[in-house]
Amino acid sequence: MDTILVVNAGSSSVKFQIFEYANSDAPPRLIKGQVDGIGTRPRLRAETRDGKPLIDKTYAPQEVADGAAAIAAAGDWLRETQKVNLVAVGHRVVHGGPPYDRPVLINKEVLAQLDQFSSLAPLHQPNNLAPIRMLMTRRPEVVQVACFDTAFHRTHAAVADHYAIPERLYNEGVRRYGFHGLSYEYIAGRLRELAPTIAHGRVIVAHLGSGASMCALANGRSVESTMGFTALDGLPMGTRPGQIDPGVILYLIAQKGMSAKEVENLLYRESGLKGLSGLSNDMRDLERSEAPAAALAIQYFVYRIALNAGMLAAALNGLDAFVFTAGIGENSPTIRARVATKLAWLGVDIDEAANKSGGPLISKPEGKVAVYVIGTDEELMIARHTVSVLAQQPRMRSLLQMH
């Protein structure tokens, strides 16, 4: 069977899925898996689309020391036991910079250009690119496609993607990009299925997970995002601070004597919920804790979501719907309820029972703003984009026509 491998590579884990290579907007999902504990306690797990376990295997740390080795281990298992014929690999790549406003075939020139954006997303970009390099070496015949988290936001007006700095810097690429675009693109599509009228209106989507951001959609298109040049801005996250006065950075360098690398580590790995609470970057741990610092971190998270919702509602000139998605958004009724309470002034009024059950519609019928809980599926978006890119290639068009 011809298949597509979808790869979402992080710093300590690599998620992967196998889709049937079908000429369809919904290619069938066959296998879902991940390798986590990379470099410490590597573990490969995978299951079928209906949840049947296929493998649960541990490795010595040196056997799977990085993301490239993780993909190699998963690939070896897939070839040896699942007998899949890999036609293409679709990758999540966080930062596409100025050149890339849509998915692209990857070659050495594209890879070199994407590597230049690694400093703008140091938690993500290097890990996204490592499996690409490995596959170029080990499986050069396999087509690879890059799908960007920034691409969906390239519909922003100039007033939304500029900073108030000299124009020459904008021309060099210093601009507001926005991230989590694959997630927002999927949600925009799901809304068209669930509530077509609302999907054409004014919608705020809150992607709340370890990485967190919010997006304003008008008629399904991104018009504003809480994230900007890098994935540091906007909402507080697991280990990232969100919005912060640039003067704080100057102070840390000039007065505290911190190097750029030390500041980068502080902002990407030691701040956010982890920094505020001093306990954990995981919202589940904070919700279970009775520590005052944990309560403050949760309060701050909710407060900033509410503040940014007001900003996005202003960008939309009103609000018709609010959508919760991603790990926290999909799984924490408490956070959803607290956010809804803060947004009552906008017309948000949720049903307690519907919220506890997880929706998808959790607002009261009389509420002015429809509120949804919708699970995101970035991997399906990558599979769709990969099929679309391949369909534009002459050799692949003939293959697709056979399906």
Side-chain angles (χ1 to χ4, degrees), residues 35-149:
V35 183
D36 52 27
I38 294 172
T40 54
R41 297 166 63 185
R43 182 183 181 190
L44 167 61
R45 288 174 289 171
E47 60 186 32
T48 63
R49 58 186 162 196
D50 57 2
K52 178 183 176 182
L54 292 172
I55 186 174
D56 189 340
K57 180 180 179 181
T58 58
Y59 298 83
Q62 65 272 17
E63 289 183 281
V64 183
D66 53 29
I71 282 296
D76 290 343
W77 168 73
L78 285 167
R79 282 194 304 276
E80 292 167 5
T81 67
Q82 303 305 303
K83 309 303 180 186
V84 296
N85 178 39
L86 189 60
V87 173
V89 182
H91 297 268
R92 178 195 179 201
V93 178
V94 165
H95 215 305
Y100 299 110
D101 62 356
R102 66 199 66 192
V104 295
L105 284 174
I106 303 171
N107 56 31
K108 290 182 179 179
E109 290 72 25
V110 169
L111 181 59
Q113 198 161 31
L114 295 178
D115 200 25
Q116 296 176 10
F117 308 134
S118 290
S119 63
L120 307 185
L123 286 186
H124 303 90
Q125 197 86 346
N127 297 306
N128 298 158
L129 302 184
I132 297 174
R133 289 195 181 90
M134 184 276 296
L135 286 166
M136 276 187 170
T137 300
R138 290 187 52 159
R139 299 289 304 277
E141 78 285 1
V142 174
V143 176
Q144 299 191 73
V145 176
C147 302
F148 303 103
D149 261 342

Side-chain angles (χ1 to χ4, degrees), residues 155-218:
T155 53
H156 288 183
V159 71
D161 76 353
H162 271 71
Y163 289 108
I165 55 177
E167 185 70 6
R168 67 178 185 275
L169 292 171
Y170 176 87
N171 293 332
E172 292 173 9
V174 183
R175 59 186 72 174
R176 299 186 68 247
Y177 292 99
F179 297 87
H180 294 130
L182 292 164
S183 176
Y184 294 128
E185 185 178 7
Y186 176 80
I187 297 299
R190 281 291 290 138
L191 265 182
R192 287 192 292 271
E193 298 170 359
L194 290 171
T197 301
I198 285 175
H200 290 296
R202 303 162 298 181
V203 181
I204 293 174
V205 184
H207 178 106
L208 308 179
S210 180
S213 70
M214 296 164 69
C215 176
L217 299 177

Side-chain angles (χ1 to χ4, degrees), residues 3 72 136 182 246 298 332:
T3 61
M136 276 187 170
L182 292 164
I298 295 172
S332 177

